[in-house]
Amino acid sequence: MSVSSLLKSPALDPNFQSYLRLVEPYDAAFVCQLRADPALNRHLSPSPNDVLEQTKWIERYKEREKHSEEYYFVISSNETDFGVIRMYDFRSNPRSFSWGSWIVKPERPAGLVTFSAVMIYEIGFDTLGFEQAHFDVRKGNSKVINFHLRSGAIEAGETDLDRLFIFPKAAWSSFREKSAGQLKSHRVLCS
């Protein structure tokens, strides 16, 4: 589960039209812009809209990345950044990862949201060898809840704030197949 194995993932290949890249401290203003947008942050944990604080958070995160404890990505297409997505809470029994902090700008290429989810599962299952994903979604976030249910996630419980989900590796190939159109339009090699 090392950073070097992660970097071999096709999901991080910038030769494709759309790809993920590891977040860097210089992305702090972009992250703040996304997280401060009221249309995008309704279902996120609050964070200060402070570029310096966000830069420090990313610098601390880079230490966790170095130790393969979590990965935070910028979602890019045609060399433009459109969002962020994060993998964290890696567990060993069963081998499971959580993902979230998923924000994508509304003015984006068609299919980029699904593409970014497919890439997270590709990294988790194909590159890092996890057996399942686990995650939570705020109860009021019906659009994202429905997306996960359509993708093959299984509801596993709830808290006062969230609905809890498991996405087993067995659901991965079906979701990838259903998403073939989005993959085809984003996995084009750039010239």
Side-chain angles (χ1 to χ4, degrees):
M1 210 172 30
S2 69
V3 177
S4 61
S5 62
L6 173 74
L7 295 175
K8 294 175 188 168
S9 172
L12 275 70
D13 188 340
N15 293 311
F16 287 111
Q17 176 179 317
S18 300
Y19 57 94
L20 305 181
R21 65 173 179 79
L22 291 165
V23 75
E24 296 294 340
Y26 63 77
D27 293 309
F30 176 66
V31 174
C32 282
Q33 174 193 14
L34 289 172
R35 293 189 69 91
D37 186 327
L40 300 175
N41 71 11
R42 287 190 314 253
H43 303 291
L44 296 176
S45 303
S47 69
N49 187 14
D50 182 320
V51 175
L52 182 57
E53 283 304 309
Q54 186 65 54
T55 302
K56 289 177 184 175
W57 188 95
I58 292 172
E59 288 168 349
R60 289 188 303 273
Y61 147 76
K62 293 302 274 186
E63 285 301 310
R64 296 188 299 277
E65 174 191 292
K66 203 181 298 182
H67 298 292
S68 301
E69 297 170 353
E70 83 180 74
Y71 300 113
Y72 194 21
F73 305 99
V74 173
I75 303 164
S76 296
S77 186
N78 293 316
E79 299 182 19
T80 301
D81 299 333
F82 288 97
V84 292
I85 193 167
R86 189 167 66 102
M87 296 177 72
Y88 56 96
D89 192 22
F90 300 158
R91 298 178 183 173
S92 58
N93 193 15
R95 291 207 61 234
S96 186
F97 68 95
S98 188
W99 67 282
S101 304
W102 189 24
I103 314 169
V104 186
K105 293 162 76 172
E107 62 286 342
R108 61 185 176 250
L112 190 63
V113 169
T114 299
F115 176 81
S116 63
V118 169
M119 292 301 96
I120 282 296
Y121 288 132
E122 180 176 286
I123 291 167
F125 297 132
D126 295 349
T127 302
L128 300 177
F130 284 102
E131 298 166 25
Q132 71 178 28
H134 61 277
F135 50 89
D136 54 77
V137 181
R138 292 286 191 256
K139 288 181 176 177
N141 199 349
S142 58
K143 190 174 178 180
V144 172
I145 288 169
N146 290 333
F147 174 88
H148 287 304
L149 291 171
R150 283 191 316 271
S151 73
I154 300 163
E155 223 170 321
E158 64 179 60
T159 67
D160 290 343
L161 290 175
D162 301 314
R163 288 172 67 178
L164 310 176
F165 293 91
I166 298 292
F167 187 90
K169 187 174 185 175
W172 166 226
S173 60
S174 175
F175 178 50
R176 182 174 30 207
E177 228 172 82
K178 283 191 243 179
S179 306
Q182 285 91 339
L183 285 175
K184 187 177 179 182
S185 66
H186 289 280
R187 271 249 164 105
V188 176
L189 283 169
C190 297
S191 48

